[in-house]
Coordinates of all heavy atoms in Angstrom, one line a residue:
M1 N 158.3 112.2 129.2 CA 158.2 113.7 129.4 C 157.0 114.2 128.6 O 156.3 115.0 129.1 CB 159.5 114.4 129.0 CG 159.5 115.8 129.2 SD 159.4 116.3 130.9 CE 159.4 118.0 130.8
K2 N 156.9 113.8 127.4 CA 155.8 114.2 126.5 C 154.4 113.8 127.1 O 153.5 114.5 127.1 CB 155.9 113.7 125.1 CG 157.0 114.4 124.3 CD 157.1 113.8 122.9 CE 158.3 114.4 122.2 NZ 158.4 113.9 120.8
L3 N 154.4 112.6 127.6 CA 153.2 112.1 128.2 C 152.8 112.9 129.4 O 151.6 113.3 129.6 CB 153.3 110.6 128.6 CG 152.1 109.9 129.3 CD1 150.9 110.0 128.4 CD2 152.4 108.5 129.7
Q4 N 153.7 113.2 130.3 CA 153.5 114.1 131.5 C 153.0 115.4 131.1 O 152.0 116.0 131.7 CB 154.7 114.2 132.3 CG 155.1 112.9 133.0 CD 156.5 113.0 133.6 OE1 157.3 113.8 133.2 NE2 156.7 112.2 134.7
L5 N 153.5 116.0 130.0 CA 153.1 117.3 129.6 C 151.7 117.3 129.0 O 150.9 118.1 129.3 CB 154.1 117.8 128.5 CG 153.7 119.2 127.9 CD1 153.8 120.3 129.0 CD2 154.7 119.5 126.8
T6 N 151.4 116.2 128.3 CA 150.1 116.0 127.7 C 149.0 115.9 128.8 O 148.0 116.5 128.8 CB 150.0 114.8 126.7 OG1 151.0 115.0 125.7 CG2 148.7 114.6 126.1
I7 N 149.3 115.0 129.8 CA 148.4 114.8 130.9 C 148.2 116.1 131.7 O 147.1 116.5 132.0 CB 148.9 113.7 131.8 CG1 148.9 112.4 131.1 CG2 148.2 113.7 133.2 CD1 149.5 111.2 131.9
G8 N 149.3 116.9 131.9 CA 149.2 118.2 132.5 C 148.3 119.1 131.8 O 147.4 119.8 132.4
L9 N 148.4 119.2 130.5 CA 147.6 120.1 129.7 C 146.1 119.7 129.7 O 145.2 120.5 129.7 CB 148.1 120.2 128.2 CG 149.5 120.9 128.1 CD1 150.0 120.8 126.6 CD2 149.3 122.4 128.5
V10 N 145.9 118.4 129.6 CA 144.5 117.9 129.7 C 143.9 118.2 131.0 O 142.7 118.7 131.1 CB 144.5 116.4 129.4 CG1 143.1 115.8 129.7 CG2 144.8 116.1 128.0
L11 N 144.6 118.1 132.1 CA 144.0 118.4 133.4 C 143.8 119.9 133.6 O 142.8 120.3 134.1 CB 145.0 117.9 134.5 CG 145.1 116.4 134.7 CD1 146.2 116.1 135.7 CD2 143.7 115.9 135.2
L12 N 144.7 120.7 133.0 CA 144.5 122.1 133.1 C 143.2 122.5 132.3 O 142.4 123.4 132.7 CB 145.7 122.9 132.5 CG 145.6 124.4 132.4 CD1 145.5 124.9 133.8 CD2 146.8 124.9 131.7
A13 N 143.0 122.0 131.1 CA 141.9 122.3 130.3 C 140.6 121.8 131.0 O 139.6 122.5 131.0 CB 142.0 121.6 128.9
A14 N 140.6 120.7 131.6 CA 139.5 120.2 132.4 C 139.1 121.1 133.5 O 137.9 121.4 133.8 CB 139.7 118.8 132.9
C15 N 140.1 121.6 134.2 CA 139.8 122.5 135.4 C 139.2 123.8 134.9 O 138.3 124.3 135.5 CB 141.1 122.8 136.1 SG 141.8 121.5 137.1
C16 N 139.7 124.3 133.8 CA 139.2 125.6 133.2 C 137.7 125.4 132.8 O 136.9 126.3 133.0 CB 140.0 126.0 132.0 SG 141.6 126.6 132.5
L17 N 137.4 124.3 132.2 CA 136.0 124.0 131.7 C 135.1 123.8 132.9 O 133.9 124.3 132.8 CB 136.0 122.8 130.8 CG 136.6 123.0 129.4 CD1 136.6 121.7 128.6 CD2 135.9 124.1 128.6
T18 N 135.5 123.2 133.9 CA 134.6 123.0 135.1 C 134.4 124.3 135.8 O 133.3 124.4 136.5 CB 135.1 121.9 136.0 OG1 136.4 122.3 136.5 CG2 135.2 120.6 135.3
N19 N 135.3 125.2 135.8 CA 135.1 126.5 136.5 C 134.4 127.5 135.6 O 134.1 128.6 136.1 CB 136.5 127.1 136.9 CG 137.1 126.2 138.0 OD1 136.4 125.7 138.8 ND2 138.4 126.2 138.1
A20 N 134.1 127.2 134.4 CA 133.4 128.2 133.5 C 132.0 128.3 134.0 O 131.3 127.4 134.4 CB 133.4 127.7 132.1
Y21 N 131.4 129.5 133.9 CA 130.0 129.8 134.3 C 129.1 129.1 133.4 O 129.2 129.3 132.2 CB 129.8 131.3 134.4 CG 128.4 131.6 134.8 CD1 127.9 131.4 136.1 CD2 127.5 132.2 133.9 CE1 126.6 131.7 136.4 CE2 126.2 132.5 134.2 CZ 125.8 132.2 135.5 OH 124.5 132.5 135.9
Q22 N 128.2 128.3 133.9 CA 127.2 127.5 133.1 C 125.8 128.1 133.0 O 125.0 127.6 132.3 CB 127.2 126.1 133.6 CG 128.6 125.4 133.6 CD 129.0 125.1 132.2 OE1 128.3 124.7 131.3 NE2 130.3 125.3 132.0
G23 N 125.5 129.1 133.9 CA 124.1 129.6 133.9 C 123.7 130.4 132.7 O 124.5 130.7 131.9
D24 N 122.4 130.7 132.7 CA 121.9 131.5 131.5 C 122.2 133.0 131.7 O 122.0 133.8 130.7 CB 120.4 131.2 131.3 CG 119.5 131.7 132.4 OD1 120.0 132.3 133.4 OD2 118.3 131.5 132.3
G25 N 122.7 133.4 132.8 CA 123.0 134.8 133.0 C 121.9 135.7 133.5 O 122.1 136.9 133.7
Q26 N 120.8 135.2 133.8 CA 119.6 136.0 134.3 C 120.0 136.6 135.7 O 120.1 135.8 136.6 CB 118.3 135.2 134.4 CG 117.2 136.0 134.8 CD 115.9 135.3 134.9 OE1 115.9 134.0 135.0 NE2 114.8 136.0 134.9
P27 N 120.1 137.9 135.8 CA 120.3 138.5 137.1 C 119.0 138.5 137.9 O 117.9 138.6 137.4 CB 120.8 139.9 136.8 CG 120.3 140.2 135.4 CD 120.1 138.9 134.7
G28 N 119.3 138.5 139.2 CA 118.1 138.7 140.2 C 117.7 140.1 140.4 O 116.7 140.4 141.0
C29 N 118.5 141.1 139.9 CA 118.3 142.5 140.0 C 118.1 142.9 141.5 O 117.2 143.6 141.8 CB 117.0 142.9 139.2 SG 117.1 142.4 137.4
K30 N 119.0 142.4 142.3 CA 119.0 142.6 143.7 C 119.9 143.8 144.2 O 119.9 144.1 145.4 CB 119.4 141.3 144.5 CG 118.4 140.2 144.2 CD 118.9 138.9 144.9 CE 118.0 137.7 144.5 NZ 118.5 136.5 145.1
T31 N 120.6 144.4 143.2 CA 121.5 145.5 143.6 C 121.2 146.7 142.7 O 120.7 146.6 141.6 CB 123.0 145.1 143.4 OG1 123.2 144.9 142.0 CG2 123.3 143.8 144.2
Q32 N 121.4 147.9 143.3 CA 121.2 149.1 142.5 C 122.2 149.1 141.3 O 121.8 149.6 140.2 CB 121.5 150.3 143.4 CG 121.1 151.6 142.7 CD 119.7 151.7 142.3 OE1 118.8 151.4 143.0 NE2 119.4 152.1 141.0
Q33 N 123.3 148.5 141.4 CA 124.3 148.5 140.3 C 123.7 147.7 139.1 O 123.8 148.1 138.0 CB 125.6 147.8 140.7 CG 126.6 147.8 139.6 CD 128.0 147.2 140.1 OE1 128.0 146.6 141.2 NE2 129.0 147.3 139.3
E34 N 122.9 146.6 139.4 CA 122.3 145.9 138.3 C 121.2 146.8 137.6 O 121.0 146.7 136.4 CB 121.7 144.6 138.8 CG 122.7 143.6 139.1 CD 122.2 142.3 139.7 OE1 121.4 142.4 140.7 OE2 122.5 141.2 139.2
I35 N 120.5 147.5 138.4 CA 119.4 148.4 137.9 C 120.1 149.5 137.0 O 119.6 149.8 135.9 CB 118.6 149.0 139.0 CG1 117.9 148.0 139.8 CG2 117.6 150.0 138.4 CD1 116.9 147.1 139.0
D36 N 121.2 150.0 137.5 CA 121.9 151.1 136.7 C 122.5 150.5 135.4 O 122.5 151.2 134.4 CB 123.1 151.7 137.6 CG 122.5 152.4 138.8 OD1 121.3 152.8 138.8 OD2 123.3 152.6 139.8
I37 N 123.1 149.3 135.5 CA 123.6 148.7 134.2 C 122.5 148.4 133.3 O 122.6 148.7 132.1 CB 124.4 147.4 134.5 CG1 125.7 147.8 135.3 CG2 124.8 146.7 133.3 CD1 126.4 146.6 135.9
G38 N 121.4 147.8 133.8 CA 120.2 147.6 133.0 C 120.1 146.4 132.2 O 119.1 145.7 132.3
V39 N 121.0 146.1 131.3 CA 120.9 144.9 130.4 C 122.1 144.0 130.6 O 123.2 144.4 130.8 CB 120.7 145.3 128.9 CG1 119.4 146.1 128.8 CG2 121.9 146.2 128.5
F40 N 121.8 142.7 130.4 CA 122.9 141.7 130.6 C 122.7 140.6 129.6 O 121.6 140.3 129.2 CB 122.7 141.0 132.0 CG 122.9 142.0 133.1 CD1 121.8 142.8 133.6 CD2 124.2 142.2 133.7 CE1 122.0 143.7 134.6 CE2 124.3 143.1 134.7 CZ 123.3 143.9 135.1
R41 N 123.7 140.0 129.2 CA 123.8 138.9 128.2 C 122.9 137.7 128.6 O 123.0 137.3 129.8 CB 125.2 138.5 127.9 CG 125.4 137.2 127.2 CD 126.9 136.9 127.1 NE 127.0 135.6 126.4 CZ 128.2 135.1 126.1 NH1 129.3 135.8 126.3 NH2 128.3 134.0 125.5
D42 N 122.2 137.1 127.7 CA 121.6 135.8 127.9 C 122.6 134.8 127.4 O 122.9 134.7 126.2 CB 120.3 135.7 127.1 CG 119.6 134.3 127.3 OD1 120.3 133.3 127.6 OD2 118.4 134.2 127.1
N43 N 123.2 134.1 128.3 CA 124.4 133.2 127.9 C 124.0 132.0 127.1 O 124.8 131.4 126.5 CB 125.1 132.7 129.2 CG 125.7 133.8 130.0 OD1 126.2 134.8 129.4 ND2 125.8 133.7 131.3
W44 N 122.7 131.7 127.0 CA 122.2 130.6 126.2 C 121.6 131.0 124.9 O 121.3 130.1 124.1 CB 121.2 129.7 127.0 CG 121.8 129.1 128.2 CD1 123.2 129.0 128.5 CD2 121.1 128.5 129.3 NE1 123.3 128.4 129.7 CE2 122.1 128.0 130.3 CE3 119.8 128.3 129.6 CZ2 121.8 127.4 131.4 CZ3 119.5 127.7 130.8 CH2 120.4 127.2 131.7
D45 N 121.3 132.2 124.7 CA 120.7 132.7 123.4 C 121.3 134.0 123.0 O 121.0 135.1 123.6 CB 119.2 132.8 123.7 CG 118.4 133.3 122.5 OD1 119.0 133.5 121.4 OD2 117.2 133.4 122.6
P46 N 122.1 134.0 122.0 CA 122.7 135.3 121.6 C 121.7 136.3 120.9 O 122.1 137.4 120.7 CB 123.8 134.8 120.5 CG 123.2 133.6 120.0 CD 122.5 132.9 121.1
T47 N 120.5 135.9 120.7 CA 119.5 136.8 120.1 C 118.7 137.5 121.1 O 117.8 138.3 120.8 CB 118.6 136.1 119.1 OG1 117.8 135.1 119.8 CG2 119.4 135.3 118.0
S48 N 119.0 137.3 122.4 CA 118.2 138.0 123.4 C 119.1 138.4 124.6 O 120.3 138.0 124.6 CB 117.1 137.0 123.9 OG 117.7 135.9 124.6
Y49 N 118.6 139.2 125.5 CA 119.3 139.7 126.6 C 118.3 139.8 127.8 O 117.1 139.8 127.7 CB 120.0 141.0 126.3 CG 119.1 142.1 125.9 CD1 118.6 143.0 126.8 CD2 118.8 142.3 124.5 CE1 117.7 144.1 126.3 CE2 117.9 143.3 124.1 CZ 117.4 144.2 125.0 OH 116.6 145.2 124.6
W50 N 118.9 140.0 129.0 CA 118.1 140.2 130.2 C 118.1 141.7 130.6 O 119.1 142.4 130.5 CB 118.7 139.4 131.4 CG 118.8 138.0 131.2 CD1 119.9 137.2 130.9 CD2 117.7 137.0 131.2 NE1 119.6 135.9 130.7 CE2 118.3 135.8 130.9 CE3 116.4 137.2 131.4 CZ2 117.5 134.6 130.9 CZ3 115.6 136.0 131.3 CH2 116.1 134.8 131.1
K51 N 116.9 142.2 131.0 CA 116.7 143.6 131.3 C 116.2 143.7 132.8 O 115.2 143.2 133.1 CB 115.8 144.3 130.4 CG 115.7 145.7 130.6 CD 114.8 146.4 129.6 CE 114.8 147.9 129.8 NZ 114.1 148.6 128.7
C52 N 117.0 144.4 133.6 CA 116.6 144.7 135.0 C 115.8 146.0 135.0 O 116.3 147.0 134.6 CB 117.9 144.9 135.9 SG 118.6 143.3 136.4
E53 N 114.6 145.9 135.5 CA 113.7 147.1 135.5 C 113.4 147.5 136.9 O 113.2 148.7 137.2 CB 112.5 146.8 134.7 CG 112.7 146.5 133.2 CD 111.5 146.2 132.4 OE1 110.6 145.4 132.9 OE2 111.4 146.8 131.3
T54 N 113.2 146.5 137.8 CA 112.7 146.8 139.2 C 113.7 146.1 140.2 O 113.9 144.9 140.0 CB 111.3 146.3 139.3 OG1 110.5 146.8 138.3 CG2 110.7 146.7 140.7
L55 N 114.1 146.8 141.2 CA 114.9 146.2 142.2 C 114.2 145.0 142.9 O 113.0 145.1 143.2 CB 115.2 147.3 143.3 CG 116.4 147.0 144.3 CD1 117.7 146.8 143.5 CD2 116.5 148.1 145.2
N56 N 114.9 144.0 143.1 CA 114.5 142.7 143.7 C 113.4 141.9 142.9 O 112.7 141.1 143.4 CB 113.9 143.0 145.1 CG 115.0 143.4 146.1 OD1 116.1 142.9 146.1 ND2 114.8 144.5 146.8
E57 N 113.3 142.3 141.6 CA 112.5 141.5 140.7 C 113.4 140.9 139.6 O 114.2 141.6 139.1 CB 111.4 142.4 140.0 CG 110.3 142.9 141.0 CD 109.4 141.8 141.5 OE1 109.1 140.8 140.7 OE2 109.0 141.9 142.6
P58 N 113.3 139.6 139.3 CA 114.1 139.0 138.3 C 114.1 139.7 137.0 O 113.0 140.3 136.6 CB 113.6 137.6 138.2 CG 112.8 137.3 139.4 CD 112.3 138.6 139.9
A59 N 115.2 139.7 136.3 CA 115.2 140.4 135.0 C 114.3 139.7 134.0 O 114.0 138.5 134.1 CB 116.7 140.3 134.4
V60 N 113.8 140.5 133.0 CA 112.9 139.9 132.0 C 113.7 139.7 130.7 O 114.7 140.5 130.4 CB 111.7 140.8 131.7 CG1 110.8 140.9 133.0 CG2 112.2 142.2 131.4
K61 N 113.4 138.7 130.0 CA 114.0 138.4 128.7 C 113.5 139.3 127.6 O 112.3 139.5 127.4 CB 113.9 137.0 128.3 CG 114.7 136.6 127.1 CD 114.5 135.1 126.7 CE 115.7 134.4 127.2 NZ 115.7 133.0 126.7
V62 N 114.4 139.9 126.8 CA 114.1 140.8 125.7 C 114.8 140.3 124.5 O 116.0 139.9 124.5 CB 114.5 142.3 126.0 CG1 114.2 143.2 124.8 CG2 113.9 142.8 127.3
R63 N 114.1 140.2 123.3 CA 114.7 139.8 122.1 C 115.3 140.9 121.3 O 114.6 142.0 121.2 CB 113.7 139.0 121.3 CG 113.5 137.6 121.8 CD 112.8 136.7 120.9 NE 113.4 135.7 120.1 CZ 114.4 134.8 120.4 NH1 115.0 135.0 121.5 NH2 114.7 133.9 119.6
C64 N 116.4 140.7 120.6 CA 116.9 141.7 119.7 C 116.1 141.7 118.4 O 115.4 140.7 118.2 CB 118.4 141.3 119.3 SG 119.6 141.5 120.6
P65 N 116.1 142.7 117.7 CA 115.4 142.7 116.4 C 115.9 141.6 115.5 O 117.1 141.1 115.7 CB 115.8 144.1 115.8 CG 116.1 145.0 116.9 CD 116.8 144.0 117.9
E66 N 115.2 141.2 114.5 CA 115.6 140.2 113.6 C 116.9 140.5 113.0 O 117.3 141.7 112.7 CB 114.6 140.0 112.5 CG 113.4 139.1 112.8 CD 112.6 138.7 111.6 OE1 113.2 138.3 110.6 OE2 111.4 138.8 111.8
E67 N 117.7 139.4 112.7 CA 119.0 139.6 112.1 C 120.1 140.3 113.0 O 121.0 140.8 112.5 CB 118.9 140.3 110.7 CG 118.0 139.7 109.7 CD 118.3 138.2 109.4 OE1 119.5 137.9 109.2 OE2 117.3 137.4 109.2
M68 N 119.8 140.2 114.3 CA 120.8 140.9 115.2 C 121.0 140.0 116.4 O 120.2 139.1 116.8 CB 120.2 142.2 115.7 CG 120.0 143.3 114.6 SD 119.4 144.8 115.2 CE 121.0 145.7 115.4
G69 N 122.2 140.2 117.0 CA 122.6 139.5 118.2 C 123.0 140.5 119.3 O 123.5 141.6 119.0
F70 N 123.0 140.1 120.6 CA 123.3 141.0 121.7 C 124.8 140.8 122.0 O 125.3 139.7 122.2 CB 122.5 140.7 122.9 CG 122.7 141.6 124.0 CD1 122.2 142.9 124.0 CD2 123.5 141.2 125.1 CE1 122.4 143.7 125.1 CE2 123.8 142.1 126.1 CZ 123.2 143.4 126.1
M71 N 125.5 141.9 122.1 CA 126.9 142.0 122.6 C 127.0 142.6 123.9 O 126.7 143.8 124.1 CB 127.8 142.7 121.6 CG 128.1 141.9 120.4 SD 129.5 142.5 119.4 CE 130.9 142.4 120.6
D72 N 127.4 141.8 124.9 CA 127.4 142.3 126.3 C 128.4 143.5 126.5 O 128.1 144.4 127.2 CB 127.8 141.2 127.3 CG 127.5 141.5 128.7 OD1 126.5 142.2 129.0 OD2 128.3 141.1 129.6
S73 N 129.5 143.5 125.8 CA 130.5 144.5 125.9 C 130.0 145.9 125.4 O 130.4 146.9 125.9 CB 131.8 144.2 125.1 OG 131.5 144.0 123.8
L74 N 129.0 145.9 124.5 CA 128.4 147.1 124.0 C 127.1 147.4 124.6 O 126.5 148.4 124.4 CB 128.2 147.0 122.4 CG 129.5 146.8 121.6 CD1 129.2 146.6 120.2 CD2 130.4 148.0 121.8
K75 N 126.5 146.4 125.3 CA 125.2 146.5 125.9 C 124.1 146.8 124.9 O 123.3 147.6 125.2 CB 125.2 147.5 127.1 CG 126.2 147.2 128.2 CD 125.7 146.0 129.0 CE 126.6 145.7 130.2 NZ 126.5 144.3 130.6
D76 N 124.3 146.2 123.7 CA 123.3 146.6 122.6 C 123.3 145.4 121.6 O 124.1 144.6 121.6 CB 123.8 147.8 121.9 CG 122.7 148.5 121.2 OD1 121.6 148.1 121.2 OD2 123.1 149.5 120.5
C77 N 122.2 145.4 120.8 CA 122.1 144.5 119.7 C 122.8 145.0 118.5 O 122.8 146.2 118.3 CB 120.6 144.3 119.4 SG 119.6 143.6 120.7
V78 N 123.5 144.1 117.9 CA 124.3 144.5 116.7 C 124.0 143.5 115.5 O 123.5 142.4 115.8 CB 125.8 144.5 117.0 CG1 126.2 145.5 118.1 CG2 126.3 143.1 117.4
I79 N 124.3 143.9 114.3 CA 124.1 143.0 113.2 C 125.1 141.9 113.3 O 126.1 142.0 113.9 CB 124.2 143.8 111.8 CG1 125.6 144.4 111.7 CG2 123.1 144.8 111.7 CD1 125.9 145.0 110.3
W80 N 124.8 140.8 112.7 CA 125.6 139.6 112.8 C 127.0 139.8 112.3 O 127.9 139.2 112.8 CB 124.9 138.4 112.2 CG 123.8 137.9 113.0 CD1 122.5 137.9 112.6 CD2 123.8 137.3 114.3 NE1 121.7 137.3 113.6 CE2 122.5 137.0 114.7 CE3 124.8 137.0 115.2 CZ2 122.1 136.4 115.9 CZ3 124.4 136.5 116.5 CH2 123.1 136.2 116.8
D81 N 127.2 140.6 111.3 CA 128.6 140.8 110.8 C 129.5 141.5 111.9 O 130.7 141.3 111.9 CB 128.5 141.7 109.6 CG 128.0 141.0 108.4 OD1 128.0 139.8 108.4 OD2 127.6 141.7 107.4
D82 N 128.8 142.2 112.8 CA 129.6 142.9 113.9 C 129.7 142.1 115.2 O 130.4 142.4 116.1 CB 129.0 144.3 114.2 CG 129.1 145.2 113.0 OD1 130.0 145.0 112.1 OD2 128.3 146.2 112.9
W83 N 128.8 141.1 115.3 CA 128.7 140.3 116.5 C 129.9 139.4 116.7 O 130.4 138.8 115.8 CB 127.5 139.4 116.5 CG 127.2 138.7 117.8 CD1 126.5 139.2 118.8 CD2 127.6 137.4 118.1 NE1 126.4 138.2 119.8 CE2 127.1 137.1 119.4 CE3 128.3 136.4 117.4 CZ2 127.3 135.9 120.0 CZ3 128.5 135.2 118.0 CH2 128.0 134.9 119.3
K84 N 130.4 139.3 117.9 CA 131.6 138.5 118.3 C 131.2 137.7 119.6 O 130.6 138.3 120.5 CB 132.8 139.3 118.5 CG 133.4 139.9 117.2 CD 134.7 140.7 117.5 CE 135.3 141.3 116.3 NZ 134.4 142.2 115.6
W85 N 131.6 136.5 119.7 CA 131.4 135.7 120.9 C 132.2 136.3 122.0 O 133.4 136.7 121.8 CB 131.8 134.2 120.6 CG 131.4 133.4 121.8 CD1 130.2 132.8 122.1 CD2 132.3 133.0 122.9 NE1 130.3 132.1 123.2 CE2 131.6 132.2 123.8 CE3 133.6 133.3 123.2 CZ2 132.1 131.7 125.0 CZ3 134.1 132.8 124.4 CH2 133.4 132.0 125.3
E86 N 131.6 136.3 123.2 CA 132.3 136.8 124.4 C 132.2 135.8 125.5 O 131.2 135.1 125.6 CB 131.8 138.2 124.8 CG 131.9 139.2 123.8 CD 131.2 140.5 124.1 OE1 130.1 140.5 124.7 OE2 131.8 141.6 123.9
N87 N 133.2 135.7 126.4 CA 133.1 134.7 127.5 C 131.9 135.1 128.4 O 131.7 136.2 128.7 CB 134.4 134.8 128.3 CG 135.5 134.1 127.6 OD1 135.3 133.1 127.0 ND2 136.7 134.6 127.8
P88 N 131.1 134.1 128.7 CA 130.0 134.3 129.7 C 130.6 134.6 131.1 O 131.6 134.1 131.4 CB 129.2 133.1 129.6 CG 130.1 132.0 129.1 CD 131.2 132.7 128.3
S89 N 129.8 135.4 131.8 CA 130.2 135.7 133.2 C 129.0 135.6 134.1 O 127.9 135.9 133.6 CB 130.9 137.0 133.3 OG 130.1 138.0 132.9
P90 N 129.1 135.3 135.3 CA 127.9 135.2 136.2 C 127.4 136.6 136.5 O 128.1 137.6 136.5 CB 128.4 134.6 137.5 CG 129.9 134.8 137.5 CD 130.3 134.9 136.0
P91 N 126.1 136.7 136.7 CA 125.5 138.0 137.0 C 125.9 138.5 138.4 O 126.4 137.6 139.2 CB 124.0 137.8 137.0 CG 123.8 136.3 137.2 CD 125.1 135.7 136.6
L92 N 125.7 139.7 138.8 CA 126.1 140.2 140.1 C 125.2 139.5 141.2 O 125.7 139.3 142.3 CB 125.8 141.7 140.1 CG 126.7 142.6 139.2 CD1 126.3 144.0 139.2 CD2 128.2 142.4 139.5
S93 N 124.0 139.3 140.9 CA 123.1 138.5 141.8 C 122.3 137.5 140.9 O 122.1 137.8 139.7 CB 122.2 139.4 142.6 OG 121.2 139.9 141.8
E94 N 121.9 136.4 141.5 CA 121.1 135.4 140.7 C 119.7 135.3 141.2 O 119.4 135.7 142.3 CB 121.8 134.1 140.8 CG 123.2 134.1 140.1 CD 123.8 132.7 139.9 OE1 123.1 131.7 140.1 OE2 124.9 132.7 139.4
V95 N 118.9 134.8 140.3 CA 117.5 134.6 140.6 C 117.3 133.5 141.7 O 118.0 132.5 141.6 CB 116.7 134.2 139.4 CG1 115.2 133.9 139.7 CG2 116.8 135.3 138.3
D96 N 116.5 133.7 142.7 CA 116.2 132.7 143.7 C 115.5 131.5 143.1 O 114.6 131.7 142.3 CB 115.4 133.3 144.9 CG 116.1 134.3 145.6 OD1 117.4 134.3 145.7 OD2 115.5 135.3 146.2
Q97 N 115.9 130.3 143.5 CA 115.3 129.1 142.9 C 114.1 128.7 143.7 O 113.9 128.8 144.8 CB 116.3 128.0 142.8 CG 117.4 128.3 141.9 CD 117.0 128.6 140.5 OE1 116.0 128.1 140.0 NE2 117.7 129.4 139.8

């Protein structure tokens, strides 16, 4: 019984990890909603974020000031003492490859 439970938990964890968003989060800025929101987390670099400025043009990378990290929930750069890791999520639209 313990072995079955362990195997079940391992399979569940593996499924969750494979379904996690792996991209850098750069939006394609293809919707008005993305332009209205304006800034999005860079999933690979907590010291920077993506900024949508023009419809149908990929977002540009912007760096936070020194000693700061970007928090997607606040849509702003914060000092490291206030920064918390947040689950990455896919952008509303992605950059064409």
Side-chain angles (χ1 to χ4, degrees):
M1 180 67 180
K2 289 181 183 178
L3 178 61
Q4 292 171 333
L5 180 60
T6 302
I7 291 172
L9 290 174
V10 168
L11 289 174
L12 179 63
C15 287
C16 291
L17 289 175
T18 58
N19 289 331
Y21 179 68
Q22 301 289 322
D24 65 0
Q26 181 182 19
C29 306
K30 297 177 184 177
T31 67
Q32 187 59 46
Q33 185 178 8
E34 288 173 309
I35 300 298
D36 294 341
I37 293 169
V39 294
F40 299 86
R41 168 187 176 168
D42 180 335
N43 294 331
W44 295 347
D45 180 1
T47 65
S48 64
Y49 57 94
W50 299 106
K51 185 172 184 178
C52 280
E53 298 179 313
T54 307
L55 194 61
N56 295 317
E57 292 290 326
V60 294
K61 186 180 258 193
V62 179
R63 284 193 105 35
C64 289
E66 274 191 51
E67 307 299 323
M68 298 182 95
F70 184 78
M71 282 196 61
D72 196 36
S73 60
L74 300 175
K75 300 291 185 203
D76 202 3
C77 297
V78 298
I79 60 172
W80 287 115
D81 288 342
D82 295 338
W83 186 86
K84 292 181 178 56
W85 185 86
E86 299 173 320
N87 284 325
S89 58
L92 299 174
S93 70
E94 294 194 5
V95 176
D96 294 330
Q97 298 300 329

